[in-house]
Amino acid sequence: MYDYLIVGSGLYGAICAHELKKKGYSCLVLEKRNHIGGNIYTENIEGINVHKYGAHIFHTSNERVWEYINQFAKFNNYINQPVARYKNEIYNLPFNMNTFTKLWPDVFTPSEAKAKIEAERKDCYKENPENLEEQAINLVGKTIYEKLIKGYTAKQWGMKCTELPSFIIKRLPVRFTFDNNYFNDFYQGIPMGGYTKIIEAMLEGIEVRLNTDYLADRDSYNALAKHIIYTGQIDAYYDYQFGPLEYRTVRFETEVLDTNNYQGNAVVNYTEYEVPFTRIIEHKHFEFDTTSPKTIISREYSTKWTKGDEPYYPVNNEANNNLYLKYKELADKETKIHFGGRLGEYKYYDMDKVVLSALDYLETLK
Ligand code: FAD
Ligand code: UDP
């Protein structure tokens, strides 16, 4: 008999296991994949730490979170500065003076950029933008929307910008400085040696059963522990009784190439709709690797999720959030099981939010 059964060895599950063990509780972690780490798993291939489930950059403004994660790894000083390729044009992201001056050859100063954006949005400015398209045009005007947002977003989410919530685009900074940092957070970096090392450190001394799907035999697993922390899909836990929540899945096409530098940057977004992938990740650049003779790239194809696929992104639009509330109502009545993490809480959480959510939950335990 264990004190805690933890379903999922991703960041949320691993933090819970680590902290509960520290408090003297016995824990068993079940993981349906053949490795630990969930979506932050990295694998060393040809000396390069490959982000197997997409580019992961740790960023936060929360000191508690930054201190917490730094116990488990040293972080390098990587700053994410993706570039966008639209047809045969290259622009800096996020939207900043480098983007504006390249896009509009008569723009040189912040006030000229603001005037240009103002002119582009004045006929369609919405006081309260109701969808991603309205929000995007409000923020950056029509040209940037058409070249850098519309196609990329449609590929990423499989929906038109008019059908998506505005908060998604508010993740990206818009700056009137020449600053290509994709994030506004105080702290940012990549763990040296890869993310898997963090999870390994968290799970040290804890029993983990890989290739084990809790839902396939939940009654026997429930009998093993007093409490359960479940970080899988909440709708799957309840057998999709109100219908499935929506997710996006991603197909990663990874290649080892015989060149030492394929694209000169870790992340290049392909923003036109006609290119079927959303972005290409060149993993070695996360760690400033200039010596290995080979490189590894991953093309990301975002597709509709159906049961059995990996549910990478919750689609937090109004319909899904309402459906989630029905599942949450059931979850709130449970006494033995707690639902946490990106899938358990059905939230488009970055890693720092997952850390915070886990730490907050752990504080509620005696
Ligand atoms: P997960 O990592 O999904 O872990 C859940 C685990 O539970 C998985 O290992 C799963 O296999 C297991 N599981 C599920 N069901 C069962 C079951 N029935 N039985 C046993 N095991 C089960 N965040 C950032 O901060 N920066 C980024 O740059 C960033 N980039 C991202 C890029 C992509 C493509 C994606 C998909 C996400 C990105 N994120 C990023 C978000 C980040 O991945 C998540 O915040 C974090 O990994 C969530 O951790 P988790 O433990 O909640 O979930
Ligand atoms: N986005 C865009 N063009 C880009 C990059 C992002 O339109 O080149 C939009 C898109 O809608 C995306 C959102 O901004 O879903 C958030 O981007 P982010 O990079 O934060 O997404 P994630 O890292 O979660 O894939």
Side-chain angles (χ1 to χ4, degrees), residues 214-229:
Y214 163 78
L215 294 180
D217 195 8
R218 67 172 92 181
D219 290 339
S220 349
Y221 295 124
N222 288 347
L224 294 179
K226 292 181 211 147
H227 309 281
I228 299 163
I229 296 172

Side-chain angles (χ1 to χ4, degrees), residues 254-301:
T254 297
E255 274 184 74
V256 180
L257 301 178
D258 255 326
T259 168
N260 69 346
N261 187 3
Y262 174 74
Q263 62 182 18
N265 207 28
V267 185
V268 178
N269 290 359
Y270 284 75
T271 58
E272 72 202 84
Y273 188 77
E274 289 67 28
V275 173
F277 44 85
T278 50
R279 55 190 175 193
I280 300 183
I281 307 302
E282 187 171 9
H283 301 269
K284 70 192 312 185
H285 296 307
F286 287 122
E287 299 185 46
F288 313 115
D289 172 352
T290 51
T291 52
S292 36
K294 293 190 180 179
T295 196
I296 301 181
I297 61 161
S298 302
R299 292 184 196 84
E300 296 188 8
Y301 298 83

Side-chain angles (χ1 to χ4, degrees), residues 83-86 89-95 99-100 103 140 142-153 169 172 269-272:
V83 296
R85 177 156 174 184
Y86 174 77
E89 301 163 27
I90 291 266
Y91 295 100
N92 286 107
L93 292 173
F95 313 117
T99 328
F100 306 143
L103 194 64
V140 289
K142 276 190 179 157
T143 310
I144 291 182
Y145 170 69
E146 291 289 338
K147 288 192 170 185
L148 302 182
I149 298 174
K150 192 176 174 184
Y152 185 93
T153 301
I169 197 72
L172 305 193
N269 290 359
Y270 284 75
T271 58
E272 72 202 84

Side-chain angles (χ1 to χ4, degrees), residues 13 76 136 182 188 212 302 320 346 354:
N76 70 13
Y182 200 57
Q188 188 172 168
T212 305
S302 177
N320 289 315
Y346 194 65
V354 170

Side-chain angles (χ1 to χ4, degrees), residues 8 11-12 31-32 38-39 55-57 213-214 341-342 349 351:
L11 191 56
Y12 192 98
E31 171 53 61
K32 70 176 176 187
N39 290 340
H56 277 77
I57 300 104
D213 183 351
Y214 163 78
R342 219 185 201 205
Y349 273 154
M351 289 177 277

